Amino acid sequence: MRVSTLIALTLSTASLWGMPIAPIHAVQQADGTVSFEKSPRLINVFTTFDHVGVWGAKYYFTLELPENAGEPLQKVTISQREGSETIRFRLDDTLAFTGTARNKGEQLPLQSVNRDDATKTVSVSFAEPISPGTTFTIGLQPQHNPYWGGVYLFGVTAFPAGEKPYGLYLGVGRLHFYRRTSCRWGFC
């Protein structure tokens, strides 16, 4: 008999006898792998400056961990999937906070920020897992915006807390960089 069938039968029998049933908060496989019950969502991705070659830009990735996620979030990976040029980041300048870039809340301490050059992936691990029901934003600072304009795509994956987390791919964030076509305020 499968474990899930056995659990369902046990819960059904317990509810028939009027026994209180504790809610199941996470999905855990027999091998110990932990996954979210309800998927986090990638809400928004944007940059503070969208012109090519600009220094001092920030790329903001806003995610929502729903109340019924079932498990806190421990790590997010951001992988450059498309673009004419590989974007390099100043990992020490990475930040995270509750809320959105336009409505910043409290800062979230980071445990580590790493880059895998082979896969063009930045991994952001939180010092304390992020609780369900939280909207939060990760800010990455590139060394500079790419010199080649166009569309750059970033795949975002979320990982729950636990020793064997199962990452959930949330989708693609899109940034578009433009070459200046006219002079503004006397600058060309």
Side-chain angles (χ1 to χ4, degrees):
M1 183 176 287
R2 293 180 52 202
V3 172
S4 59
T5 307
L6 183 59
I7 290 171
L9 287 171
T10 304
L11 291 175
S12 297
T13 305
S15 66
L16 284 174
W17 288 96
M19 298 170 64
I21 301 171
I24 297 173
H25 293 292
V27 177
Q28 186 168 5
Q29 305 299 322
D31 68 354
T33 303
V34 177
S35 60
F36 294 109
E37 186 175 307
K38 176 82 171 162
S39 174
R41 291 184 332 135
L42 177 62
I43 295 175
N44 191 22
V45 177
F46 80 96
T47 178
T48 53
F49 297 106
D50 62 2
H51 288 132
V52 296
V54 171
W55 294 75
K58 284 266 195 223
Y59 303 168
Y60 289 109
F61 296 80
T62 301
L63 292 87
E64 176 187 61
L65 185 60
E67 284 283 346
N68 56 352
E71 195 65 31
L73 183 143
Q74 186 68 58
K75 180 173 90 169
V76 173
T77 60
I78 301 169
S79 304
Q80 183 179 339
R81 305 267 173 159
E82 189 174 307
S84 303
E85 178 180 335
T86 299
I87 298 175
R88 301 265 180 225
F89 294 99
R90 297 177 180 190
L91 300 182
D92 291 339
D93 293 327
T94 301
L95 59 104
F97 48 86
T98 59
T100 66
R102 289 183 172 78
N103 188 17
K104 293 180 182 177
E106 68 180 66
Q107 188 152 348
L108 298 169
L110 302 176
Q111 180 177 17
S112 63
V113 180
N114 300 302
R115 177 177 172 84
D116 181 337
D117 288 329
T119 61
K120 298 190 261 184
T121 300
V122 174
S123 298
V124 179
S125 295
F126 296 93
E128 295 293 325
I130 296 173
S131 300
T134 304
T135 296
F136 67 97
T137 300
I138 296 171
L140 296 178
Q141 184 171 353
Q143 291 178 359
H144 57 79
N145 279 353
Y147 291 115
W148 295 98
V151 173
Y152 287 72
L153 301 179
F154 298 87
V156 179
T157 304
F159 295 83
E163 289 188 31
K164 291 181 77 176
Y166 179 78
L168 188 59
Y169 183 68
L170 305 183
V172 173
R174 180 181 185 272
L175 295 176
H176 197 146
F177 297 99
Y178 303 91
R179 184 161 300 285
R180 293 180 202 250
T181 56
S182 64
C183 296
R184 289 190 201 174
W185 306 292
F187 298 102
C188 296

